[in-house]
Amino acid sequence: MTTIPVQGTALPPATKTSDNRRERRATLFLLGPALTFLAVLSVWPFVYLIYASFTSYQLAIPIPIEWVGVDNFTRMMTNPRFWSSLGITGIFALVAVPLQIVAGLSMALLLNGVTRGREFYASLFLIPMMVAPIVVGFSWNLFLNPIYGPLNNLLKAIGFDPPAWAQSPDWALPTLVVVDTWQWTPFVMIVLLAGLNSIPQRVYEAARVDGSNRWQTFVHIVLPMLFPYMMVAFVLRFIDSFRVFDIIYILTRGGPGTATQNLAYYTYDMGFGRFEFSIAGALSIIQLVLLTGGTMAILSFAKSREKGPVSDSPLPPTVFNASAHTFQGENP
């Protein structure tokens, strides 16, 4: 049998090489301005930050900048204020993020059961996330004001003796957790609602045929299938919890004392309050390393859960068999 070559489908090697070179040049020409812009605005400040963290750079004292090696990092590691801010950052992340996951999951389940007007209600829930953090801080500052704030006046009217929420050593940090949860729970909700919508309806029908009630379906089917979405929301909120600054600056200014001074606010105070730019640079590098390590640990945990053996699943055998049979070859 004779094979007839199709015209235009086979090019000589030299022509292919020439075309590839032209494509690479065109790509570099188009990406060149964007890459240059990115390097100037992102890469260079980051490189200079690393350099400043190993020097004696102080804006307030006009002394020659000297290379001090790891002295700035050593000073921070032996500073009780650093460990206090690190502890506050960790407490804030470990309390606020799980709270937002639980609240966001509840809201997503509530919205997923709504058959009419779901988009309208979802838009209402998303309003706090659309407001700038600085506006959120001012709004909550007025709402929680101990003298003329509506919350304290309401509590006083029904016989309670409310504290000065943002000024109390005991209530300042929980107040910040509540404000952050109020603003960012809708983000978790929208991620988990997308996960719920991705579960095929036939999965629920298979579980119902197997005799699974609503609670068993939720625990053994919905939660495992939502796990990747929950981990995405957890990682993103975990990263953001380390960068919380706006509401702290507006509501507490890190106080009372240092009760709400997290690593971000401590770095700001050292850099722009005391002009210790080298110390602020070291703090930024430490925060980046901690955040990267924490994120990698969370992702490793999520990956190990996804690779877990089927026998480790808490799913009852009948429900698991039915759902596994339903999942095979089906797309959401």
Side-chain angles (χ1 to χ4, degrees):
M1 180 177 180
T2 304
T3 302
I4 302 175
V6 179
Q7 293 183 355
T9 56
L11 295 176
T15 305
K16 284 185 177 180
T17 304
S18 177
D19 290 343
N20 291 337
R21 287 177 180 172
R22 279 198 293 270
E23 288 180 2
R24 283 199 294 268
R25 289 172 185 170
T27 302
L28 289 176
F29 177 76
L30 294 174
L31 292 180
L35 292 176
T36 304
F37 186 76
L38 182 66
V40 170
L41 292 185
S42 300
V43 178
W44 167 243
F46 180 68
V47 172
Y48 190 76
L49 173 70
I50 296 176
Y51 164 75
S53 66
F54 291 97
T55 65
S56 61
Y57 185 16
Q58 295 184 13
L59 187 62
I61 304 176
I63 58 175
I65 299 176
E66 297 179 355
W67 182 266
V68 297
V70 295
D71 285 357
N72 294 325
F73 296 90
T74 306
R75 285 176 59 188
M76 287 298 98
M77 291 299 176
T78 57
N79 190 339
R81 193 176 166 193
F82 164 76
W83 292 106
S84 172
S85 62
L86 179 60
I88 291 170
T89 304
I91 292 173
F92 186 90
L94 294 177
V95 174
V97 177
L99 191 61
Q100 293 169 19
I101 295 293
V102 174
L105 178 60
S106 303
M107 294 168 63
L109 290 172
L110 182 65
L111 273 181
N112 195 48
V114 176
T115 55
R116 297 182 61 183
R118 181 187 301 177
E119 292 76 12
F120 173 74
Y121 295 118
S123 302
L124 291 181
F125 284 138
L126 290 177
I127 289 177
M129 196 178 67
M130 301 175 187
V131 182
I134 197 77
V135 178
V136 171
F138 278 116
S139 301
W140 277 89
N141 197 17
L142 294 173
F143 182 68
L144 300 174
N145 189 282
I147 300 175
Y148 49 82
L151 178 62
N152 278 22
N153 287 332
L154 176 63
L155 293 175
K156 289 176 183 177
I158 58 178
F160 288 96
D161 184 19
W165 303 99
Q167 291 79 33
S168 167
D170 298 327
W171 288 99
L173 188 57
T175 299
L176 294 176
V177 170
V178 170
V179 175
D180 190 72
T181 301
W182 176 82
Q183 184 176 21
W184 292 112
T185 294
F187 169 77
V188 179
M189 178 205 71
I190 206 69
V191 172
L192 298 185
L193 184 61
L196 286 173
N197 289 332
S198 71
I199 300 177
Q201 191 63 31
R202 280 168 287 188
V203 173
Y204 297 104
E205 296 172 357
R208 196 178 306 116
V209 169
D210 282 348
S212 175
N213 57 33
R214 287 189 175 183
W215 175 251
Q216 289 174 325
T217 303
F218 173 71
V219 172
H220 300 303
I221 295 179
V222 175
L223 274 184
M225 296 188 73
L226 274 183
F227 183 75
Y229 296 89
M230 295 172 69
M231 293 311 301
V232 168
F234 190 93
V235 168
L236 294 177
R237 291 306 308 142
F238 176 78
I239 294 173
D240 275 346
S241 68
F242 267 67
R243 302 185 306 167
V244 172
F245 174 80
D246 311 70
I247 59 174
I248 296 178
Y249 182 82
I250 298 300
L251 286 174
T252 65
R253 299 293 175 102
T258 58
T260 58
Q261 193 173 82
N262 64 352
L263 270 180
Y265 193 90
Y266 184 35
T267 304
Y268 161 80
D269 184 49
M270 294 303 293
F272 297 97
R274 303 170 189 272
F275 300 112
E276 295 272 4
F277 284 173
S278 57
I279 297 295
L283 283 170
S284 300
I285 298 299
I286 293 173
Q287 186 171 351
L288 177 63
V289 171
L290 292 174
L291 195 54
T292 304
T295 303
M296 291 178 65
I298 296 172
L299 293 177
S300 298
F301 170 74
K303 194 174 182 180
S304 65
R305 290 280 298 179
E306 289 182 352
K307 290 183 178 178
V310 174
S311 58
D312 290 343
S313 173
L315 204 62
T318 55
V319 176
F320 174 77
N321 292 335
S323 57
H325 176 73
T326 307
F327 298 155
Q328 289 177 354
E330 293 184 355
N331 295 323

